[in-house]
C-alpha cells in the first residue's frame, strides 16, 4: 500500500511539474537596431534622385535631409505648414511616409 501511495504521489508531482518546465523554456529575444541617419545638405542629394522625388512631391518643400550608410534618404517635407517625414531609397523611390 505504501508503494502504491508513493508511486501515486510521484506521478502527480511529475504531472504538475512537467507542463511548467515547458512554459519556462519558451522565451525569445528580439534585437532591433534602427538605422543611423546623418544630416546632409539638400544639395548633397544626387540630381537624378532629387528630380525623381520632386516629380512625385513637387508641391512640397524639403526642409531637412538625412542619409543612412546604405544610401537611404530621410527627408522632412513641408506643405502648407504641415511637416511630413518620408524615407526614400538611394534611387529616389518612396519607402514610407511617417
Amino acid at each position: 500500500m505504501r508503494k502504491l501511495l508513493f508511486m501515486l504521489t510521484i506521478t502527480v508531482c511529475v504531472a504538475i511539474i512537467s507542463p511548467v518546465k515547458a512554459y519556462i523554456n519558451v522565451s525569445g529575444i528580439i534585437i532591433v537596431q534602427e538605422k543611423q541617419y546623418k544630416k546632409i545638405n539638400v544639395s548633397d542629394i544626387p540630381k537624378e534622385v532629387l528630380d525623381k522625388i520632386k516629380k512625385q512631391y513637387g508641391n512640397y518643400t524639403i526642409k531637412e535631409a538625412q542619409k543612412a550608410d546604405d544610401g537611404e534618404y530621410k527627408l522632412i517635407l513641408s506643405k502648407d505648414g504641415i511637416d511630413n517625414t518620408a524615407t526614400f531609397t538611394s534611387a529616389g523611390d518612396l519607402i514610407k511616409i511617417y
Side-chain angles (χ1 to χ4, degrees):
M1 184 68 179
R2 282 187 195 174
K3 288 183 181 181
L4 181 62
L5 186 58
F6 180 72
M7 292 300 288
L8 182 62
T9 305
I10 291 196
T11 305
V12 169
C13 289
V14 168
I16 291 172
I17 293 172
S18 292
V20 173
K21 279 186 176 179
Y23 291 112
I24 290 173
N25 291 333
V26 176
S27 65
I29 298 173
I30 299 173
I31 299 173
V32 177
Q33 184 175 356
E34 290 188 30
K35 289 185 180 183
Q36 298 295 318
Y37 291 90
K38 295 178 185 173
K39 191 172 182 175
I40 61 170
N41 293 323
V42 177
S43 60
D44 294 339
I45 300 173
K47 185 178 180 337
E48 306 83 39
V49 175
L50 203 53
D51 288 344
K52 190 170 186 179
I53 293 170
K54 285 188 177 186
K55 183 177 178 183
Q56 296 174 3
Y57 300 95
N59 299 342
Y60 288 82
T61 303
I62 300 174
K63 288 179 72 175
E64 185 178 316
Q66 299 175 358
K67 185 177 179 182
D69 290 335
D70 64 353
E72 189 174 287
Y73 295 100
K74 183 186 284 188
L75 304 177
I76 298 178
L77 305 172
S78 180
K79 179 180 177 185
D80 299 330
I82 299 172
D83 293 344
N84 293 311
T85 302
T87 52
F88 295 90
T89 64
S90 59
D93 297 318
L94 177 68
I95 297 172
K96 185 176 182 180
I97 296 178
Y98 302 94

